[in-house]
Amino acid sequence: MADAVRRLRGQAGGGALVVVGEAGVGKTRLAEYLSDAAAKADVRVVHGRALPEGVGGPLRPVAEMLLDLTRDRAAPADAGLAPYVTVLASLVPHWRAAGWSAPAEPVVVTAEAVLQVLRWAAGKAGGNGIVVILEDLHWADDATLAVTRYLADHASEVPALLFGTVRTGEGREDVPALLEAGGARVCPIGRLTPDQAGDMARACAGPGPGPGSGPGSGSGGAGLSLEETIAAVVRDAEGLPLLVEDLLATGDLGGIAPRFADTVRARLARLDDRQRMVAGAAAVLGRRFDWRLLDRAAGVQGAEVAGALHRCAALQLIVTEGSGFAFRHALTRDVILAELAGPDRCRLSLAAAEALAVTAGRNDDDQVLLTGRLLVDGGEPLRAAEVLLQAGRRAFGAGSLSSAELFLREAGRAAAGHAAAGNADLSTGIAGQLAQVLLHAGQLSEAVQIASRTVAVTDGRDLAAATAMRLVLARAAVMTAAWDDARIQLADVRRSRPADQHAHAEAAVIEAQVALGDGRPGSRARAEYLAAAAAGIARDAGRPDLACEALEVLGSCARLHDLDAAAAAFGRALSLAAEADLRVHRLRILNELGTVEMLRDAQGERLEQARAEASRAGAVGLAVGIGANIAALMAMTARFTDAMQVAGEVEDTARRLGLIPLQAAALLMQGFAMAHQGRTRESEHYLAAAEATAPDDPDLRAGAWAIGRGIGALLAEDRAGARQAFARARAEAPDQHARILNPYEGPELLLRALAGEAGPAEIEAAAADVVRAARWPELWFGAAQAVARGADGDAAGACAALSTALEAGDRYPVFSALTMRLAAEAAIRDCWGTPGMLLSTADSTFTRLRLGRASAACRALLKTTGHAAPRRRAADAGLPAALIAAGVTAREAEILDLLADRLSNREIAGLLFLSPRTVEKHVAALLAKLGGEDRGGLARLARGLR
């Protein structure tokens, strides 16, 4: 531990250490030692502790640690931390901004948020690092263990040392293995040997004048010599450090039975009846207890409570802890609880529950689990279940899914086994609410199991409950694309004819979603009809949330054929979400609307707005997904540096959070950015990585082959390779005819038109399925139609079609330049349009983007038309400053770029329409100007400049 603290001070990174052992073996003392060592080294220490039976709610130890870490600190202003601050505001109340609501994010996002804030806090701590101590993890809830494991797995990334303690024989037995699998070092701690126990006893007793002087002064009790006392302690402590201390601390060894429980009972015997009642009330409240509840719980006056606590502290039953109290050890509390008679424990538990209700308030969810446990211990499990059910409903309404799940599971346990007492409706209510929570949390399998069981119990007896659960089953089926299963559930709902308009509205929305998703002939038109009807039903039922869902279905339907209509539908949904303050719906709709505008207008303002709002709302996963769309737009509009930066950030965050599809998409966007700069090797690296990350995604593979490799081949003037790539894309995803951004169909059709394989009629028929107002297909299909019409002698039609196509593609520099270069070739051949202007414009774009082969092809074609290819200056070609400073010309830069691909002089000459001798002279000039030793050195230099 001391070495770990020194490494923190030396900024050598953090680590994770977990000590495991039975009660009393010294885990807490090791934590105290670590805390002292860190304090002496000026390293910040923060603490958190799990409590039995989940008391304190999910993530309680993490929340305690964060409150310790952020006390008196405002939320970080760093924009990069904004989404994580919103997530952690669930645990850090003073970080909640006006209008804050709990984001429904998976626990891995919370874990990443904790890691990010630890990094931020470590920076604020002067670079000395932070020690995080989490005790009693055997009692931790699943969410806390997930966060702890994540911190252990990433401990080397931040200057933080994670130290955990786990008791064996209580709570969960799998905690050590779980944390060790996450990268923590697990250290089992056994009992002391007799020699070690003797050494500890001597150290605790200290040197002294001799027998009879009292504990801690060098002698034993009851007239025993120091060595006799130590021998008795060694014998009776059985190797447990806790017992060594306690047996020494009594000062009356000779008269006390040699077991810890008997030690505690002997101390209790020194209390009067009212003091014992206070100790018992404290014990039912927990190891750490709120002393302000004790007067009501024990039925004694405040002054008597204070006196009892001081007496218990003097007898080492309790200790002060900050401004409160705690039992000296969990075993101490266990003994006191065991000494309570059954009726006394029930009475104290109920009194403590009433005290909590009065002081904490009905809506204080932090105390709900403790209240429920006290009511169960007091013999009122059904009342406990009702309290927990109401808390679960409140948490669900507030969007706190993890808290809602915990409360409802505890409610189910409290109500279990009491059906005969008339609580069938209560159990049904608990199960139904839990199924809803699990559905929204994405735990579909268990949600379906619970809903199915509840339907079986309530069918024919409780129509409303059965209908609600059938709707859960239908939604789960939609989420897993099990369309037939969804239809079965909806048919059962319709047959039952529910009187509840809310259920009728929800069924209508789900029916529209099924029609949109299953892809049957005519399904799109049916989905639009059903969605329009569902929106009206939902409005009449007073359910704006369902009306929003219906309008989203309308927008999704329209997006398959008309982006203007889609934008209108999503715009209506957005307005409704804003009016009803439906924040989650608003974020989702903003993303949809931003995507439509990206494809229709090649503009990203709405997406940027959506990402900013998602970040502020703590919707980290959604913000990452929007970032992937923004990176795609940047790549398509030739903002390559920005695209690489945003996509790299998305890739890193998605990888850390386990968002595999988004990680693959980010890699794909980086592959596109590289391909469209002519950087084939780097492009292939990213494209192959994307395909390996998501090997079962045919859409991704189709995009990699078409927009990555196919467009890259066109830029390299490799038309055969491009056609092969487009054909491979079609084979990977042959059913993409209805997609907005079919990656292969348009470019492939243009190449077929150039080769005389596709005429106007075929292109016209294919264009009938093109989504209106979508720029990508309008560019390629329009250019293909222009080429086909020109080949048929329709010069005016060819010019009109090309003009419309280039207007659609004017936001896509690379794709527009490619279509100009290809169409100009056809225009020269078939004598239509202004090929010289097309080639000059394309050449300018290719030169600016340093796409040498495409630029050379344009200039060569210009010469065949009798147009002079203007001489370009190096500065006009966008050359790196180092090449300009060395006096490298634009033509030499073209040749240098081709050398990177290991081409011979003859191959380069063929591409640039030069003689091999001319190329040889340019290579010699490059060697002289750049100081290269040979062609290999020039090739390495060129690759480094890409």
Side-chain angles (χ1 to χ4, degrees):
M1 289 189 294
D3 287 343
V5 171
R6 281 192 290 272
R7 285 196 298 272
L8 281 181
R9 286 277 300 176
Q11 300 183 352
L17 176 65
V18 178
V19 293
V20 181
E22 63 183 299
V25 82
K27 301 181 297 297
T28 298
R29 287 306 171 91
L30 287 173
E32 291 171 354
Y33 171 84
L34 176 60
S35 184
D36 290 343
K40 291 175 182 177
D42 197 25
V43 172
R44 178 83 184 275
V45 182
V46 291
H47 296 82
R49 183 186 298 270
L51 298 177
E53 302 174 43
V55 171
L59 292 169
R60 192 263 182 195
V62 178
E64 182 182 1
M65 177 270 291
L66 288 171
L67 288 171
D68 192 4
L69 181 68
T70 64
R71 188 172 290 112
D72 301 327
R73 285 187 176 182
D78 184 350
L81 286 174
Y84 299 115
V85 168
T86 305
V87 170
L88 291 185
S90 300
L91 307 175
V92 185
H94 63 275
W95 279 5
R96 296 175 186 175
W100 174 88
S101 61
E105 289 293 307
V107 70
V108 67
V109 174
T110 300
E112 176 66 12
V114 173
L115 192 73
Q116 294 288 347
V117 169
L118 282 174
R119 181 182 284 112
W120 164 78
K124 295 290 184 181
N128 290 343
I130 294 175
V131 171
V132 178
I133 297 177
L134 299 178
E135 295 191 70
D136 295 337
L137 290 174
H138 50 282
W139 283 324
D141 58 283
D142 288 342
T144 292
L145 291 175
V147 171
T148 305
R149 176 172 175 167
Y150 190 90
L151 294 179
D153 193 28
H154 295 273
S156 61
E157 300 175 15
V158 294
L161 172 63
L162 174 66
F163 181 86
T165 68
V166 177
R167 183 189 305 174
T168 56
E170 291 192 48
R172 294 180 53 163
E173 295 290 345
D174 62 339
V175 173
L178 186 150
L179 296 180
E180 188 171 33
R185 180 181 178 186
V186 174
C187 298
I189 298 177
R191 297 192 178 200
L192 302 176
T193 65
D195 288 344
Q196 291 170 335
D199 291 341
M200 179 179 175
R202 290 184 186 90
C204 291
S213 301
S217 61
S219 69
L224 298 177
S225 69
L226 177 60
E227 286 306 314
E228 288 172 329
T229 299
I230 290 172
V233 166
V234 170
R235 180 192 67 234
D236 296 339
E238 298 181 335
L240 289 177
L242 173 69
L243 295 189
V244 172
E245 290 183 329
D246 272 21
L247 291 171
L248 283 171
T250 60
D252 191 20
L253 274 172
I256 295 177
R259 293 294 180 269
F260 179 72
D262 293 326
T263 303
V264 175
R265 294 188 192 102
R267 295 173 190 174
L268 280 174
R270 300 182 187 182
L271 302 175
D272 62 32
D273 290 344
R274 294 177 74 80
Q275 290 170 340
R276 278 197 296 275
M277 196 61 65
V278 170
V284 300
L285 284 169
R287 182 182 175 190
R288 286 163 179 78
F289 53 87
D290 186 345
W291 61 271
R292 294 167 296 185
L293 301 173
L294 294 178
D295 54 349
R296 291 178 181 273
V300 299
Q301 297 297 315
E304 290 182 280
V305 169
L309 290 175
H310 285 300
R311 179 62 175 154
C312 288
L315 291 172
Q316 297 198 31
L317 294 171
I318 65 173
V319 294
T320 58
E321 196 171 82
S323 60
F325 293 90
F327 286 96
R328 188 165 184 269
H329 197 277
L331 294 176
T332 307
R333 173 185 174 251
D334 293 344
V335 174
I336 295 174
L337 281 177
E339 288 298 296
L340 287 173
D344 287 340
R345 182 167 182 176
C346 283
R347 178 175 55 80
L348 287 171
S349 296
L350 290 177
E354 296 297 340
L356 272 175
V358 170
T359 58
R362 181 172 171 273
N363 294 323
D364 188 349
D365 286 345
D366 287 342
Q367 300 296 335
V368 165
L369 288 171
L370 178 57
T371 301
R373 179 175 64 78
L374 290 169
L375 289 172
V376 170
D377 289 346
E380 297 191 13
L382 297 186
R383 185 179 163 199
E386 183 63 42
V387 167
L388 291 162
L389 171 59
Q390 294 305 320
R393 286 173 173 163
R394 289 196 301 274
F396 180 56
S400 182
L401 299 182
S402 57
S403 293
E405 180 184 349
L406 182 61
F407 295 151
L408 292 167
R409 290 192 188 280
E410 288 298 317
R413 281 190 279 269
H418 295 277
N423 84 329
D425 290 342
L426 177 60
S427 295
T428 297
I430 294 168
Q433 189 64 71
L434 180 58
Q436 293 275 3
V437 168
L438 294 173
L439 177 74
H440 282 77
Q443 301 181 47
L444 301 186
S445 178
E446 190 176 2
V448 167
Q449 291 175 8
I450 294 173
S452 298
R453 288 198 302 265
T454 306
V455 167
V457 170
T458 58
D459 204 12
R461 180 179 66 81
D462 187 338
L463 175 61
T467 298
M469 291 300 95
R470 284 194 170 101
L471 291 173
V472 167
L473 292 171
R475 282 197 179 275
V478 168
M479 293 169 74
T480 55
W483 311 117
D484 289 338
D485 291 346
R487 288 192 188 88
I488 291 171
Q489 298 302 327
L490 291 171
D492 287 341
V493 169
R494 284 194 296 271
R495 277 194 294 270
S496 67
R497 297 182 179 179
D500 183 2
Q501 285 300 303
H502 293 188
H504 184 44
E506 186 169 5
V509 170
I510 298 172
E511 190 173 9
Q513 292 170 338
V514 172
L516 173 64
D518 72 352
R520 295 184 179 184
S523 61
R524 188 183 73 194
R526 175 170 170 75
E528 286 182 300
Y529 170 78
L530 291 172
I537 295 169
R539 280 194 296 268
D540 293 342
R543 289 292 300 273
D545 57 328
L546 294 175
C548 271
E549 285 191 64
L551 289 172
E552 287 180 70
V553 174
L554 271 177
S556 298
C557 291
R559 192 171 56 189
L560 296 175
H561 63 89
D562 188 333
L563 293 187
D564 288 332
F570 286 128
R572 289 165 56 201
L574 187 64
S575 297
L576 181 57
E579 291 170 8
D581 196 26
L582 301 171
R583 300 182 185 183
V584 174
H585 289 73
R586 172 180 165 77
L587 288 176
R588 191 170 62 233
I589 297 163
L590 265 179
N591 182 36
E592 295 286 0
L593 187 54
T595 303
V596 167
E597 292 178 358
M598 174 185 77
L599 296 168
R600 184 187 66 178
D601 308 323
Q603 298 287 351
E605 288 82 358
R606 186 86 69 173
L607 284 176
E608 292 287 3
Q609 177 191 358
R611 182 168 64 162
E613 291 198 18
S615 295
R616 286 195 296 272
V620 177
L622 179 60
V624 173
I626 297 171
N629 280 339
I630 291 172
L633 176 61
M634 290 171 169
M636 301 284 277
T637 54
R639 295 164 55 192
F640 299 128
T641 301
D642 293 339
M644 292 298 294
Q645 179 180 344
V646 173
E649 293 169 356
V650 169
E651 179 201 348
D652 180 62
T653 303
R655 174 181 51 78
R656 298 172 68 87
L657 299 181
L659 304 174
I660 302 303
L662 291 178
Q663 181 186 354
L667 288 164
L668 187 67
M669 295 312 115
Q670 292 174 85
F672 289 171
M674 288 296 177
H676 300 169
Q677 295 176 81
R679 299 169 65 170
T680 306
R681 284 188 176 83
E682 295 95 327
S683 172
E684 187 57 37
H685 164 77
Y686 286 111
L687 296 177
E691 291 167 324
T693 301
D696 299 323
D697 187 341
D699 294 342
L700 181 141
R701 292 197 301 274
W705 278 99
I707 303 178
R709 299 181 180 101
I711 297 296
L714 285 178
L715 291 170
E717 289 294 311
D718 180 7
R719 199 166 299 178
R723 294 197 64 168
Q724 289 173 1
F726 294 137
R728 175 66 180 272
R730 180 182 293 278
E732 292 288 354
D735 58 345
Q736 285 215 348
H737 60 279
R739 300 300 176 106
I740 302 170
L741 188 64
N742 185 301
Y744 54 77
E745 191 171 23
E748 187 178 49
L749 197 60
L750 175 55
L751 293 182
R752 291 183 59 231
L754 271 171
E757 299 169 6
E762 178 185 346
I763 296 169
E764 191 81 26
D769 291 331
V770 169
V771 179
R772 286 192 293 275
R775 287 177 178 267
W776 167 271
E778 286 187 1
L779 170 65
W780 295 105
F781 279 82
Q785 189 64 270
V787 170
R789 288 179 179 177
D792 276 4
D794 181 4
C799 290
L802 185 60
S803 176
T804 301
L806 293 178
E807 184 178 354
D810 64 355
R811 304 281 175 83
Y812 301 144
V814 171
F815 308 141
S816 289
L818 269 176
T819 55
M820 289 180 198
R821 179 261 177 273
L822 295 171
E825 180 180 318
I828 294 170
R829 181 188 65 199
D830 299 322
C831 301
W832 60 268
T834 56
M837 183 183 299
L838 293 174
L839 291 167
S840 294
T841 304
D843 179 41
S844 176
T845 298
F846 292 141
T847 298
R848 177 172 57 84
L849 298 176
R850 299 185 60 215
L851 293 165
R853 295 191 184 186
S855 173
C858 289
R859 294 167 66 79
L861 280 172
L862 272 172
K863 291 179 180 179
T864 67
T865 65
H867 290 81
R871 184 174 181 83
R872 294 168 300 166
R873 295 175 301 169
D876 296 332
L879 301 188
L883 294 186
I884 295 174
V888 173
T889 68
R891 173 64 82 188
E892 289 167 351
E894 285 179 333
I895 292 172
L896 178 65
D897 188 59
L898 295 172
L899 285 173
D901 296 327
R902 302 182 186 279
L903 300 182
S904 67
N905 287 351
R906 185 171 298 280
E907 289 171 322
I908 294 172
L911 287 170
L912 299 182
F913 296 90
L914 301 172
S915 70
R917 176 64 178 161
T918 301
V919 174
E920 183 181 344
K921 289 180 179 179
H922 283 307
V923 171
L926 285 169
L927 288 169
K929 291 178 180 180
L930 299 177
E933 296 181 1
D934 52 24
R935 294 172 65 94
L938 289 176
R940 287 190 293 274
L941 173 62
R943 286 194 290 272
L945 291 171
R946 284 182 168 180

